[in-house]
Amino acid sequence: MSEAVLRYDQVSVGDALPELPIELTSSLIVAGAVASQDYTPVHHDKEAAQAAGMQDIFMNILTTNGLVSRFVTDWAGVDARITNVSIKLGTPNLPGDTMTLTGSVAEKDDAASAVTVDVTGKNAWGNHVTGTVKVALAAGD
Amino acid sequence: MAISGKEREDFEKQLEPYVGLDIGIEDRGRDPVNAAMVRHWCEAMGDHCGAYTDADQAGNSVHGELVAPPTMLQAWILGGVGMATGESDPRDKQKELHRLFDAHGFTGVVATNTEQEYTRYLKMGDEIRATTVIESISEQKATGLGIGYFINTRTRFYDQNDDEVGWLTFRVLKFENEAPAAATEAEAPAAAGRPQRLKPALAHDNQWWWDCVEQGELAIQKCSDCQALRHPPRPMCGECQSSDWEFVFSTGQGTIHSYVVIRYPEVPGYTYPLVVAVVDLEEGTRFVGNVLDVEPDDVEIGMAVQASIELVDDEMKLPVFRRA
Ligand SMILES: [Zn+2]
């Protein structure tokens, strides 16, 4: 859980975040869509998704963002403050697949005690998401 | 075919007034930021961060009290079940712009990029509203999905004091879609299930070899006249031009003659980095295959390897090598 707090001075450029595999189930995709209040039919209605040229329902962007944010705060802890998430979207997340989130520290901003983390979420078809998360950490003692 | 000439010119003139335009409707959160929706979100995401759901942890943290996950920002103003009915506000200039693209053959839509910036974390009770501006429309572009235009929008979020709490941008491609309908928010449609390997073209001269693989054997073709071995399968002996042949089963033992490590581009269905080796089989022919379960840096020319026949996707078997 998130009791642990990562301090800014404990982090170095190049540090890898713990890998996070996410099993992509219909339940997750629907739960994410509903929790984000995104009832666009392609995210919960298989027929609608197929009419749109997809094999099955696929994950909405808010869920992707939510998982990316979780990936970073699982590592950074309760005192982390995310200030920016910038992502490029790739292959869709479909049920039955697994997306594995990996990331590493790309930059440190001493003035803000903030780090930029490069994040990639990859499924069997390629990169679902690539991008950066800027997160301010607790300053060192 | 994409529109061109005068027709394109006229179309692009019609786009111009949309650039810089506020879409004309304000999205207002139907509920203030609240613990129930936050809990629901965290459960869906598997997010156990105490700042969102544990009042004690949140109170002792830099946040000082319970806060909403930052990436939930847009969730506070989305339409909920109403979005499934397809009704949209007729005043919505963004929808109007999309319909204009649709009418000119650019029916496909895919979000390619999104960025969010958070001025502050939202707290329970915050009341959120948002306004959206169409910031720019690109020139016509040839993309992997087809010819189209990128539309950039920016949505700014405000609280009950009219202070900005964050913004988000979307970059959306409206493209000429060959597929029947638009696939939103996703790139190329994926096939069902997991990616499969490319299948070999089977014909009279090689079907037998793949049948052997199916039976779990790595076969090597052998000239019936001069006894020379050859691979891959072909109808005539390169040594004596005889077309009489038989085959033997390889033990699968060999040594690496040469190899490459493929890192990029990644083709779906393979695991990278991918070691591909030319193996000197002990029978005297060479065979190209993947070397598994070895770090690329540990592979060496001359390394002893052993083949086994394994499923490499849902249906195809192939000889693969491991360190002997
Ligand atoms: Zn021969």
Side-chain angles (χ1 to χ4, degrees):
Chain A
M1 306 302 105
S2 312
E3 290 88 356
V5 167
L6 191 65
R7 288 194 327 266
Y8 180 73
D9 58 9
Q10 295 172 310
V11 176
S12 305
V13 169
D15 285 359
L17 279 65
E19 199 171 283
L20 177 62
I22 303 281
E23 233 183 282
L24 304 173
T25 60
S26 297
S27 300
L28 168 62
I29 291 166
V30 172
V34 171
S36 49
Q37 288 292 295
D38 180 356
Y39 278 77
T40 310
V42 290
H43 304 311
H44 66 266
D45 179 340
K46 185 169 178 175
E47 273 181 35
Q50 289 178 337
M54 303 294 288
Q55 298 297 323
D56 205 334
I57 59 168
F58 54 95
M59 186 176 282
N60 70 333
I61 296 171
L62 278 98
T63 303
T64 299
N65 267 323
L67 293 171
V68 165
S69 154
R70 171 194 156 189
F71 171 63
V72 171
T73 54
D74 275 2
W75 165 75
V78 70
D79 278 344
R81 256 185 318 106
I82 292 174
T83 57
N84 183 285
V85 176
S86 180
I87 61 170
K88 180 175 188 293
L89 297 154
T91 59
N93 269 346
L94 291 155
D97 202 347
T98 300
M99 173 176 71
T100 302
L101 288 157
T102 56
S104 61
V105 177
E107 268 177 54
K108 290 188 75 175
D109 176 351
D110 292 344
S113 353
V115 299
T116 301
V117 177
D118 282 339
V119 177
T120 299
K122 189 173 173 181
N123 63 33
W125 294 92
N127 287 336
H128 168 70
V129 55
T130 51
T132 58
V133 176
K134 281 186 195 148
V135 56
L137 303 175
D141 298 323
Chain B
M1 277 305 293
I3 53 171
S4 57
K6 177 88 171 69
E7 198 188 350
R8 174 175 163 183
E9 224 171 87
D10 289 346
F11 171 60
E12 291 179 353
K13 275 220 169 64
Q14 289 180 66
L15 299 178
E16 275 169 25
Y18 287 92
V19 177
L21 202 63
D22 186 289
I23 66 166
I25 48 166
E26 185 182 80
D27 293 304
R28 206 167 260 280
R30 291 168 300 153
D31 297 290
V33 174
N34 65 86
M37 282 173 68
V38 167
R39 181 184 52 75
H40 185 184
W41 167 282
C42 290
E43 282 179 6
M45 304 303 161
D47 194 331
H48 300 287
C49 181
Y52 312 142
T53 49
D54 183 321
D56 289 340
Q57 273 194 54
N60 292 325
S61 74
V62 292
H63 307 287
E65 61 186 287
L66 283 174
V67 289
T71 46
M72 208 179 158
L73 182 60
Q74 197 191 8
W76 300 112
I77 56 119
L78 279 184
V81 176
M83 294 172 77
T85 65
E87 287 163 28
S88 67
D89 193 316
R91 296 167 301 168
D92 184 338
K93 292 290 176 190
Q94 188 175 9
K95 296 253 164 60
E96 186 182 291
L97 175 62
H98 280 225
R99 283 194 297 270
L100 180 61
F101 275 105
D102 292 342
H104 288 80
F106 301 96
T107 54
V109 58
V110 55
T112 61
N113 301 75
T114 176
E115 179 174 4
Q116 306 196 348
E117 183 133 318
Y118 315 107
T119 315
R120 68 166 176 89
Y121 273 31
L122 302 184
K123 301 171 188 302
M124 303 307 123
D126 276 337
E127 291 171 22
I128 303 305
R129 64 182 178 85
T131 59
T132 299
V133 170
I134 298 163
E135 282 199 328
S136 63
I137 302 171
S138 76
E139 292 173 8
Q140 195 181 89
K141 305 268 189 192
T143 76
L145 290 169
I147 290 177
Y149 297 78
F150 288 98
I151 306 169
N152 291 296
T153 58
R154 184 179 301 265
T155 302
R156 293 182 188 279
F157 295 79
Y158 301 93
D159 64 13
Q160 56 280 10
N161 303 316
D162 293 330
D163 288 329
E164 189 174 319
V165 294
W167 51 256
L168 78 83
T169 59
F170 270 114
R171 183 169 161 85
V172 168
L173 175 68
K174 280 295 285 171
F175 62 101
E176 234 186 2
N177 199 1
E178 303 301 324
T184 46
E185 298 179 13
E187 213 169 52
R194 301 188 67 80
Q196 304 293 303
R197 300 280 182 95
L198 283 174
K199 298 288 178 284
L202 296 179
H204 176 75
D205 293 327
N206 69 348
Q207 172 86 52
W208 67 272
W209 188 86
W210 289 96
D211 289 345
C212 289
V213 168
E214 202 50 44
Q215 304 301 315
E217 297 288 356
L218 170 50
I220 308 173
Q221 204 174 15
K222 181 179 173 185
C223 174
S224 298
D225 287 314
C226 78
Q227 314 297 308
L229 298 173
R230 61 182 193 259
H231 186 83
R234 47 190 179 273
M236 185 177 284
C237 175
E239 303 295 323
C240 75
Q241 283 72 52
S242 166
S243 56
D244 293 329
W245 57 269
E246 55 207 74
F247 58 86
V248 295
F249 289 140
S250 170
T251 62
Q253 290 175 39
T255 54
I256 290 181
H257 179 82
S258 180
Y259 69 98
V260 293
V261 180
I262 301 174
R263 296 174 195 274
Y264 189 88
E266 296 190 356
V267 177
Y270 295 79
T271 305
Y272 294 86
L274 178 66
V275 180
V276 181
V278 179
V279 173
D280 286 317
L281 292 174
E282 66 165 1
E283 289 80 8
T285 46
R286 287 186 184 140
F287 185 86
V288 178
N290 299 153
V291 184
L292 307 183
D293 299 337
V294 56
E295 292 299 320
D297 287 349
D298 294 340
V299 181
E300 283 177 337
I301 288 171
M303 192 172 98
V305 289
Q306 171 68 51
S308 59
I309 310 287
E310 295 176 16
L311 268 176
V312 293
D313 59 18
D314 290 343
E315 39 195 43
M316 186 160 81
K317 288 183 183 171
L318 267 185
V320 295
F321 292 90
R322 286 190 179 77
R323 198 201 297 253

mmCIF file of all heavy atoms in Angstrom, chain B residues 223 225-228 237 239-242, ligand 1:
data_model
loop_
_atom_site.group_PDB
_atom_site.id
_atom_site.type_symbol
_atom_site.label_atom_id
_atom_site.label_comp_id
_atom_site.label_asym_id
_atom_site.label_seq_id
_atom_site.Cartn_x
_atom_site.Cartn_y
_atom_site.Cartn_z
ATOM 1 N N CYS B 223 19.425 -36.267 -50.160
ATOM 2 C CA CYS B 223 19.415 -36.751 -51.534
ATOM 3 C C CYS B 223 19.524 -38.277 -51.537
ATOM 4 O O CYS B 223 20.399 -38.841 -50.875
ATOM 5 C CB CYS B 223 20.591 -36.131 -52.309
ATOM 6 S SG CYS B 223 20.763 -36.790 -53.975
ATOM 7 N N ASP B 225 20.404 -40.088 -53.965
ATOM 8 C CA ASP B 225 21.496 -40.566 -54.818
ATOM 9 C C ASP B 225 22.862 -40.301 -54.177
ATOM 10 O O ASP B 225 23.625 -41.216 -53.945
ATOM 11 C CB ASP B 225 21.412 -39.915 -56.205
ATOM 12 C CG ASP B 225 20.254 -40.521 -57.001
ATOM 13 O OD1 ASP B 225 20.143 -41.761 -57.001
ATOM 14 O OD2 ASP B 225 19.436 -39.752 -57.554
ATOM 15 N N CYS B 226 23.165 -39.000 -53.890
ATOM 16 C CA CYS B 226 24.512 -38.705 -53.369
ATOM 17 C C CYS B 226 24.527 -38.547 -51.860
ATOM 18 O O CYS B 226 25.573 -38.282 -51.281
ATOM 19 C CB CYS B 226 25.087 -37.464 -54.060
ATOM 20 S SG CYS B 226 24.420 -35.916 -53.418
ATOM 21 N N GLN B 227 23.350 -38.656 -51.213
ATOM 22 C CA GLN B 227 23.241 -38.639 -49.741
ATOM 23 C C GLN B 227 23.464 -37.247 -49.140
ATOM 24 O O GLN B 227 23.513 -37.117 -47.918
ATOM 25 C CB GLN B 227 24.225 -39.620 -49.072
ATOM 26 C CG GLN B 227 24.275 -40.999 -49.695
ATOM 27 C CD GLN B 227 22.950 -41.740 -49.578
ATOM 28 O OE1 GLN B 227 22.386 -41.855 -48.500
ATOM 29 N NE2 GLN B 227 22.419 -42.214 -50.696
ATOM 30 N N ALA B 228 23.624 -36.196 -49.976
ATOM 31 C CA ALA B 228 23.843 -34.851 -49.419
ATOM 32 C C ALA B 228 22.578 -34.382 -48.682
ATOM 33 O O ALA B 228 21.452 -34.620 -49.129
ATOM 34 C CB ALA B 228 24.209 -33.874 -50.529
ATOM 35 N N CYS B 237 18.499 -31.818 -55.788
ATOM 36 C CA CYS B 237 19.774 -31.786 -55.081
ATOM 37 C C CYS B 237 20.718 -30.808 -55.761
ATOM 38 O O CYS B 237 20.918 -30.854 -56.970
ATOM 39 C CB CYS B 237 20.396 -33.177 -55.069
ATOM 40 S SG CYS B 237 22.048 -33.202 -54.326
ATOM 41 N N GLU B 239 23.874 -30.743 -55.357
ATOM 42 C CA GLU B 239 25.169 -31.385 -55.625
ATOM 43 C C GLU B 239 25.115 -32.221 -56.900
ATOM 44 O O GLU B 239 26.031 -32.165 -57.719
ATOM 45 C CB GLU B 239 25.554 -32.320 -54.453
ATOM 46 C CG GLU B 239 25.604 -31.629 -53.108
ATOM 47 C CD GLU B 239 26.692 -30.570 -53.033
ATOM 48 O OE1 GLU B 239 27.786 -30.785 -53.617
ATOM 49 O OE2 GLU B 239 26.449 -29.502 -52.416
ATOM 50 N N CYS B 240 24.059 -33.027 -57.054
ATOM 51 C CA CYS B 240 24.037 -33.977 -58.184
ATOM 52 C C CYS B 240 22.791 -33.829 -59.056
ATOM 53 O O CYS B 240 22.592 -34.608 -59.981
ATOM 54 C CB CYS B 240 24.174 -35.418 -57.675
ATOM 55 S SG CYS B 240 22.660 -36.057 -56.909
ATOM 56 N N GLN B 241 21.959 -32.843 -58.762
ATOM 57 C CA GLN B 241 20.766 -32.557 -59.559
ATOM 58 C C GLN B 241 19.739 -33.704 -59.569
ATOM 59 O O GLN B 241 18.863 -33.760 -60.412
ATOM 60 C CB GLN B 241 21.110 -32.161 -61.012
ATOM 61 C CG GLN B 241 21.609 -30.734 -61.152
ATOM 62 C CD GLN B 241 23.022 -30.569 -60.573
ATOM 63 O OE1 GLN B 241 23.939 -31.321 -60.929
ATOM 64 N NE2 GLN B 241 23.189 -29.608 -59.682
ATOM 65 N N SER B 242 19.872 -34.601 -58.637
ATOM 66 C CA SER B 242 18.870 -35.661 -58.548
ATOM 67 C C SER B 242 17.592 -35.097 -57.928
ATOM 68 O O SER B 242 17.637 -34.234 -57.047
ATOM 69 C CB SER B 242 19.388 -36.798 -57.665
ATOM 70 O OG SER B 242 18.310 -37.649 -57.317
HETATM 71 ZN ZN ZN C 1 22.484 -35.484 -54.669
#
